[in-house]
Coordinates of all heavy atoms in Angstrom, one line a residue:
Chain A
A655 N -160.4 22.1 31.6 CA -161.0 21.0 32.3 C -162.2 20.5 31.6 O -162.4 19.3 31.6 CB -161.4 21.5 33.7
Chain B
S891 N -162.1 28.5 43.0 CA -162.6 28.2 41.6 C -162.4 29.4 40.7 O -162.6 30.5 41.1 CB -164.1 27.9 41.6 OG -164.6 27.4 42.8
Q892 N -162.0 29.1 39.5 CA -162.1 30.1 38.5 C -163.2 29.6 37.5 O -164.4 30.1 37.6 CB -160.8 30.3 37.8 CG -159.9 31.1 38.7 CD -158.5 31.5 38.1 OE1 -158.4 31.5 36.8 NE2 -157.6 31.8 38.9
C893 N -162.9 28.6 36.6 CA -164.0 28.2 35.8 C -165.0 27.3 36.6 O -166.2 27.2 36.3 CB -163.5 27.4 34.6 SG -162.9 25.8 34.9
G894 N -164.5 26.6 37.6 CA -165.3 25.9 38.5 C -165.6 24.4 38.0 O -166.3 23.7 38.7
Y895 N -165.0 24.0 36.9 CA -165.3 22.7 36.4 C -164.6 21.6 37.3 O -165.2 20.5 37.5 CB -164.8 22.6 35.0 CG -165.4 21.5 34.2 CD1 -166.7 21.6 33.6 CD2 -164.7 20.3 33.9 CE1 -167.2 20.6 32.9 CE2 -165.3 19.2 33.2 CZ -166.5 19.4 32.7 OH -167.1 18.4 31.9
C896 N -163.4 21.9 37.8 CA -162.7 21.0 38.6 C -163.3 21.0 40.1 O -163.0 20.2 40.9 CB -161.2 21.3 38.7 SG -160.9 22.8 39.6
C928 N -156.3 21.0 38.0 CA -157.0 22.3 37.8 C -156.1 23.1 36.8 O -154.9 23.3 37.1 CB -157.1 23.1 39.1 SG -157.8 24.7 38.8
R929 N -156.7 23.6 35.7 CA -155.9 24.3 34.7 C -156.0 25.8 35.0 O -155.3 26.6 34.3 CB -156.4 24.0 33.3 CG -155.5 24.4 32.2 CD -154.1 23.9 32.2 NE -153.5 23.8 30.9 CZ -152.3 23.5 30.6 NH1 -151.4 23.3 31.6 NH2 -151.8 23.5 29.4
C930 N -156.9 26.2 35.9 CA -157.1 27.7 36.0 C -156.4 28.4 37.2 O -155.9 29.4 37.0 CB -158.6 27.9 36.2 SG -159.7 27.4 34.9
T931 N -156.4 27.7 38.3 CA -156.0 28.5 39.5 C -154.5 28.5 39.8 O -154.1 29.3 40.6 CB -156.7 27.9 40.8 OG1 -156.3 26.5 40.9 CG2 -158.2 27.9 40.6
Ligands
FES1487 S1 -161.1 26.2 38.2 FE1 -161.0 25.7 36.1 S2 -160.0 23.8 36.2 FE2 -160.0 24.4 38.2

Side-chain angles (χ1 to χ4, degrees):
Chain B
S891 333
Q892 287 184 21
C893 78
Y895 200 80
C896 70
C928 173
R929 191 61 153 171
C930 298
T931 62

